[in-house]
Amino acid sequence: MSTTPIAEYALLSDRHSAALVSRGGSVDWLCFPRFDSPAVFARLLDEEAGHWSIRPSAPCRVTRRYLNRTMVLETTFRTGAGTVVLTDVLLVGADNSGHRLGAGAPHVLARRLSCAEGEVTVEVEYRPRPEFGLITPLLSEVDSGVTSRGGAEWLVLTSPVRLVVGEDDARGTVRLRAGDTWYFALHRSTLETPARVWGQEELAAGVDATVAAWRSWSDLHQTYDGPWRDLVHHSGRVLQALSFQPSGAIVAAATTSLPENVGGERNWDYRYAWVRDASLTMEALWVAACPDEASDFFAFLTAAAPSLAEDKALQIMFGVGGEHDLTERTLPHLHGWRGSRPVRVGNGAWQQRQIDVYGELLTAAFRLADQLTGIDEATRRFLIACADTAAERWREQDQGIWEVRGAPRHFLYSKLMCWAALDRAVALADRLRAEDRVESWRRTREEIRDTVLRQGWSDQAGAFTQYFGSTELDASTLMMPLVGFLPADDPRVLATIDAIAERLTDDQGLVYRYRAEGGVDGLAGEEGTFLLCTFWLAQALAMTGQVGRARAAFERAAAYRNDVGLLAEEVDPATGELLGNFPQAFSHIGLVNAAWAINQAEHRTPARALP
């Protein structure tokens, strides 16, 4: 089984695919040609599921970083005899500056190995295992490389040194002296472009062009100049790296089945795009990227869900190309990260019904209100239908924001977002040409508000709670001031914030989503604290004017980024280790939005509700 800590990995992206590279120079995760494709390397989930490593043969000290304003990884290995630098990058292609970043991606993982001083012997080990380790492909040596055939994959590895092909891998060594630079690459065939060996000068130009392309995107898009500027800009690049260039979709994470508790069953495939994330993602893109990325994501959502199902339900998530059927299955041949099984691909939550999604979609639309004046007729009707459906279905029980697999309930957050759906619809009525519905939407909006205030509050808990009639706390109630349902200084909001800070946190002050041992989610075991929820706490505190507490909460969560600034979904409360799929878009979204709220609070500008 795989035991490498999740924090040991760094992300590569060409805005089509994602790779994870360990501190030891091993590519242990790579999905070609899309984020949700079967993995070519999956040692992340099983020691025998494939990898490609390049590292010194002698013991070494390792440091690494992303090159400034890019997602190009540089790892420096220092041995007793010398220093080598490994630069890893998924090439984005020619003419890919600015908004076109990733448009011409050739599906090539390039690795530049340079000797900075002395002499260093480096070992190369290549073990492809297509279809999540299920296939042991046929390897053949060719001039300057190795071909791999197996299943649906045709891969060509470029190597400037001869690799000896064995029974199931290819290995070699290279001795570098100061000034030497060699390029390696892995190319995956597509229908348009067969895989091939790449020349050294061609790869050098491709790496330089990719560095320049990422920097052009950063220079064009990243203007935030408040607290934690570097962290916000880096999180913006991470979100861009998790976006699928052809459609504008943003995946929740680059991986599947990294667990929420070690050895447990809370292992899900996050390589898809959720409607639930829409409004928070839009806000973060507005701050850390630019309106163009926000518009692309919204366009994807409205294209992927052009109509409601027969029961008027809006599907909660989609494939990166807009696919609806995300049927879940398990991969029994994989042992999972640290024995956490089952390993799943697909996500059964696509069939859940969650009534919060109408609010998230309409809040995202409201964030782009100025662009809605020219929307097409189908999108206009769709947004009106979302508001009408929220008004019709808000009384129903559902699975809630956390997609619990237990019994449906009257989750407060779901009612809150139905309120938000109607609130935004009223504000957008002129752009949607829906003035005739405003009176009805307003009446239902007030009915929802009255019901939430009456049934969502618990005198016993001294706070708003997870679902009607419950005394359980839930971090999603922090969204009440964020979406404008109640003022931040409302005594009930302040009491809820304090209750969560005091009773829904671990010893380090990190916030849980809810107490999993209560059994509401229908799964055994517990889970870690959620970094997103801790950033929500920071954001809510900033909105109340408690800037010192907000800063402290922000710093607690941000401190768990790894050495290259990446955040996972959760933190193990016992060990402080990162848990869950990685890197997690929601965590980086939370960081951006919390930093923005604190920036506003420090400038004595009342932090506005989303959007």
Side-chain angles (χ1 to χ4, degrees), residues 41 48 133 170 187 200 348 377 388 427 477 510 519 525 545-546 570:
F41 305 123
E48 301 302 316
H187 189 191
Q200 293 291 293
E377 182 64 17
D388 286 342
T477 57
L510 300 179
Q546 300 178 75
E570 302 184 21

Side-chain angles (χ1 to χ4, degrees), residues 170-244:
R171 298 170 180 259
T173 60
V174 55
R175 187 164 184 81
L176 293 92
R177 297 177 175 82
D180 289 345
T181 297
W182 296 105
Y183 289 86
F184 300 77
L186 181 64
H187 189 191
R188 195 258 190 195
S189 279
T190 64
L191 292 175
E192 298 81 15
T193 309
R196 60 180 175 83
V197 170
W198 285 54
Q200 293 291 293
E201 292 184 359
E202 188 178 17
L203 288 171
V207 171
D208 290 344
T210 301
V211 171
W214 273 104
R215 286 176 174 164
S216 73
W217 181 87
S218 295
D219 292 344
L220 181 64
H221 292 72
Q222 301 197 297
T223 59
Y224 172 80
D225 196 26
W228 305 287
R229 177 179 181 271
D230 290 344
L231 296 187
V232 169
H233 285 189
H234 183 57
S235 289
R237 288 189 292 273
V238 172
L239 294 177
Q240 183 73 348
L242 292 174
S243 67
F244 187 58

Side-chain angles (χ1 to χ4, degrees), residues 15-16 33-37 242-251 271-274 296-297 299-306 315 317-326:
R15 300 193 64 216
H16 295 256
R34 299 188 352 169
F35 292 109
D36 55 358
S37 296
L242 292 174
S243 67
F244 187 58
Q245 191 279 331
S247 70
I250 297 178
V251 297
R271 299 172 301 151
Y272 306 111
W274 267 258
D296 289 346
F297 182 53
F300 163 76
L301 291 175
T302 55
Q315 186 162 317
M317 58 191 294
F318 304 98
V320 295
E323 297 84 2
H324 284 226
D325 187 346
L326 307 178

Side-chain angles (χ1 to χ4, degrees), residues 109-166:
L109 171 58
R111 315 191 74 181
R112 180 175 67 197
L113 186 64
S114 301
C115 186
E117 59 182 6
E119 295 186 4
V120 182
T121 298
V122 173
E123 297 177 341
V124 181
E125 182 177 10
Y126 173 61
R127 301 187 74 222
R129 292 292 184 273
E131 295 191 32
F132 300 104
L134 188 64
I135 294 173
T136 301
L138 299 174
L139 303 181
S140 301
E141 186 177 346
V142 296
D143 286 345
S144 301
V146 175
T147 63
S148 169
R149 291 182 291 120
E153 300 293 342
W154 171 259
L155 304 167
V156 177
L157 180 75
T158 297
S159 176
V161 298
R162 181 172 180 262
L163 301 181
V164 177
V165 173

